């Protein structure tokens, strides 16, 4: 947690007095070991081995004060990015009051002044994260950090901001977190909270528990070799190394006593006795359980599927290997999914050739509609990506054990040195079949609005669940996207602590290809019409997806912050009619 206490400082990251005293009283007993396995070898890190300054902004001496505007320069509902000489802040006026906070979204650095201000919060223009203007706290995702909140004073009709230079330059704040009271007495094979899966849902759950003052043992386990990382970057920035895309550094987990068991797979859950059984026979008792195992990519079922150099992109190692093998070579991508298209875009400038095979006639047809799909396809073709539509792979041919050709059912034979498969995924829930946890016919875990399963004390979150979506009259849906996983994790944690919190977020997602982003909010499944404003040929458009007379989703390219504006309207429970956008 990073905060500036109120010591003659007019701009600060404020936490309530009650919270501050709680932090000062929190025990500093011996930290639990963080179990972090590298290449199958368990290593134990103790807090003493990795001392970190958990509060670098304590009693800052480098304070700056600046007059930034006249009180009448801003109308209610307006925002302005202001320069304090050594950094910038976002100044906001709402209901006659002035607020100041960090000006960049902590997720990917979007300028929040271009976002949407509504009812006490600012929504990021790029990916939809929301921040409370009074506290700076993150209220919707993606991202893990909150914003530093700065104090404002008014003197002689002028608005002054006063700030620590460090806070201005940092532009992010980790919310205050508890630590374990003591782990020295714990049995290694029992934990209060067990989290299966270390993606966004699992990490946000663990962090939220600590933010809410939970000081008992938390164990996360993952089949991955790595601590939690930014999985969407695997297909958008394929040569990223694990440490570059880590969501939190190793030291963070030590500091807040969040134990991570890597390369550990749960094989079964005994809900009656509250025991998770691992593949290697290890058993762990739990009090509360979160299942956040995500999806498993579908594999090809054609002849020659075992040939070398055929990949699902599941880990940083997969992505790195594909880039290395694809450079100046022939690449075939099977499936015009988000992953398939992002990989194609990334490799287009690096590979000798990129071919994309897809069953549908247009990429993204079911998601974005035919017209948007065709515009995207045209953009790809202008970057030398060749499409083979309405066909599928019948055979992978090898030479000396390695992929040489991809044969299509249409009879076409494509030269291929590497093949990437992006034909969808199935929920990773097979280990729960005998558990008694309610799973639907497609393998998704069924949860209520509080992310609870049918078993008391067992919660589920992320890509592997179906949950009631308030936006669509509580219809049970699966939304396998990054922002939603964050929110699921938060709601699950709050309800483990009996807060009675229901999920009501608006789904928000994005894809990036050739330096351009499509942003999307809502849930357009089953849309029956698309109203398009702007110019598809120029790739500057907004598309409204309607069902009957109602707008159920929106997508845009080069049209910010329209998607964030629509998301705010939908989040407020208001209905947008088709006639409003035509």
């Amino acid at each position: 947690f990073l905060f500036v206490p109120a010591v003659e400082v007019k701009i600060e990251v404020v936490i309530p007095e009650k919270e501050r005293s709680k932090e000062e009283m929190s025990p500093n007993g011996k930290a639990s070991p963080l179990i972090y396995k590298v290449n199958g070898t368990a290593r134990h890190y103790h807090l003493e081995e990795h001392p970190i300054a958990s509060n670098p902004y304590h009693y800052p001496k480098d304070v700056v004060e600046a007059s930034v505007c006249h009180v009448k320069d801003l109308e209610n509902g307006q925002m302005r990015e202001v320069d304090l000489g050594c950094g910038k802040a976002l100044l906001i006026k709402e209901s006659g009051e002035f607020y100041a906070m960090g000006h960049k979204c902590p997720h990917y650095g979007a300028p929040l002044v271009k976002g949407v201000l509504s009812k006490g919060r600012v929504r990021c223009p790029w990916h939809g994260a929301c921040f409370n203007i009074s506290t700076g706290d993150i209220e919707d995702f993606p991202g893990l950090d909150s914003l530093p909140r700065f104090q404002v004073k008014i003197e002689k009709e002028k608005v002054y901001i006063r700030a620590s230079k460090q806070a201005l330059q940092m532009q992010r704040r980790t919310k205050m977190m508890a630590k374990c009271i003591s782990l020295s007495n714990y049995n290694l094979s029992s934990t209060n909270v067990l989290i299966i899966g270390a993606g966004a849902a699992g990490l946000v759950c663990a962090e939220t528990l600590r933010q809410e003052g939970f000081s008992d043992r938390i164990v996360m386990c993952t089949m991955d070799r790595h601590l939690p990382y930014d999985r969407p970057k695997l297909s958008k920035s394929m040569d990223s190394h694990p440490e570059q895309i880590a969501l939190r550094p190793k030291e963070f987990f030590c500091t807040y006593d969040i134990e991570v068991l890597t390369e550990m797979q749960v094989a079964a859950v005994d809900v009656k006795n509250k025991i998770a059984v691992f593949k290697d026979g290890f058993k762990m008792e739990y009090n509360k359980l979160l299942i956040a195992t995500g999806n498993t990519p579908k594999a090809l079922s054609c002849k020659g599927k075992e040939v070398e150099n055929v990949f699902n992109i599941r880990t940083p190692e997969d992505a790195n290997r594909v880039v290395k093998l694809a450079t100046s070579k022939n690449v075939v991508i099977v499936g015009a999914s988000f992953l398939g298209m992002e990989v194609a875009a990334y490799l287009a400038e690096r590979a000798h050739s990129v071919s994309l095979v897809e069953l549908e006639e247009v990429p993204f047809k079911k998601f974005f509609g035919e017209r948007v799909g065709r515009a995207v396809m045209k953009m790809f073709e202008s970057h030398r990506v060749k499409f083979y539509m309405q066909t599928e792979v019948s055979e992978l041919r090898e030479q000396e054990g390695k992929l040489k050709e991809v044969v299509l059912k249409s009879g076409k034979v494509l030269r291929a040195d590497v093949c990437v498969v992006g034909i969808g995924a199935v929920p990773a829930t097979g280990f729960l079949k005998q558990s008694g946890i309610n799973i639907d016919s497609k393998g998704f875990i069924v949860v209520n609005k509080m992310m609870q399963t049918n078993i008391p004390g067992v919660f589920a979150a992320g890509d592997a669940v179906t949950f009631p979506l308030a936006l669509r009259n509580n219809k049970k849906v699966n939304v396998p996207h990054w922002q939603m996983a964050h929110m699921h994790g938060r709601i699950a944690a709050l309800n483990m602590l009996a807060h009675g919190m229901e999920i009501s977020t608006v789904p928000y997602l994005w894809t990036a290809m050739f330096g351009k982003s499509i942003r999307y909010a809502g849930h357009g499944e089953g849309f029956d019409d698309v109203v398009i404003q702007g110019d598809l040929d120029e790739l500057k458009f907004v598309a409204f997806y309607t069902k009957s007379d109602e707008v159920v989703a929106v997508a845009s390219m080069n049209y910010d912050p329209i998607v964030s504006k629509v998301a705010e309207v939908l989040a407020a429970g208001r209905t947008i009619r088709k006639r409003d956008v035509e």
Side-chain angles (χ1 to χ4, degrees), residues 516-529:
K516 300 185 186 304
S517 287
I518 300 180
R519 316 200 194 287
Y520 180 98
H523 188 72
E525 190 178 276
F527 67 87
D528 51 36
D529 197 10

Side-chain angles (χ1 to χ4, degrees), residues 17-26 176 212-213:
E17 204 61 46
K18 182 177 75 173
E19 292 294 296
R20 195 176 295 129
S21 61
K22 190 184 352 177
E23 158 56 22
E24 285 162 2
M25 287 162 35
S26 84
M176 197 190 82
E212 295 296 316

Side-chain angles (χ1 to χ4, degrees), residues 346-367:
Y346 191 83
L347 296 179
E349 299 302 314
R350 294 164 176 82
H352 177 261
S353 71
V354 176
S355 303
L356 208 146
V357 181
E358 166 60 36
L359 260 175
E360 292 284 337
E361 58 186 312
V362 177
F364 298 135
K365 184 179 176 182
K366 286 180 181 169
F367 203 87

Side-chain angles (χ1 to χ4, degrees), residues 278-393:
F278 289 79
K279 198 173 181 180
D280 64 3
F282 178 65
K283 294 181 180 179
M284 183 170 275
E285 291 180 37
Y286 63 83
N287 181 30
K288 294 279 195 300
L289 176 68
L290 177 73
I291 303 163
T293 44
N295 284 334
T296 302
K298 288 180 184 172
L300 290 175
S301 57
C302 62
K303 186 180 174 185
K305 62 183 179 184
E306 307 302 330
V307 169
E308 260 188 67
N309 298 346
V310 178
F311 294 87
N312 290 111
I313 306 286
R314 187 65 190 161
T315 66
E317 289 78 11
D318 292 337
N320 296 171
R321 183 106 176 98
V322 167
V323 173
K324 193 174 176 183
L325 288 169
T327 303
S328 303
K329 300 287 187 181
N330 300 301
V331 180
V332 173
I333 295 162
V334 186
S337 58
F338 283 101
L339 181 138
M341 294 288 277
E342 287 169 4
V343 169
Y346 191 83
L347 296 179
E349 299 302 314
R350 294 164 176 82
H352 177 261
S353 71
V354 176
S355 303
L356 208 146
V357 181
E358 166 60 36
L359 260 175
E360 292 284 337
E361 58 186 312
V362 177
F364 298 135
K365 184 179 176 182
K366 286 180 181 169
F367 203 87
F368 290 136
E370 186 169 346
R371 289 173 65 196
V372 172
R374 285 202 186 280
V376 172
M377 187 172 173
K378 198 171 158 187
M379 174 177 74
F380 272 71
E381 287 172 333
S382 73
H383 286 85
R384 299 186 311 111
V385 175
K386 182 92 169 120
F387 287 89
Y388 296 88
M389 307 303 280
Q390 293 179 286
T391 187
E392 53 190 317
V393 176

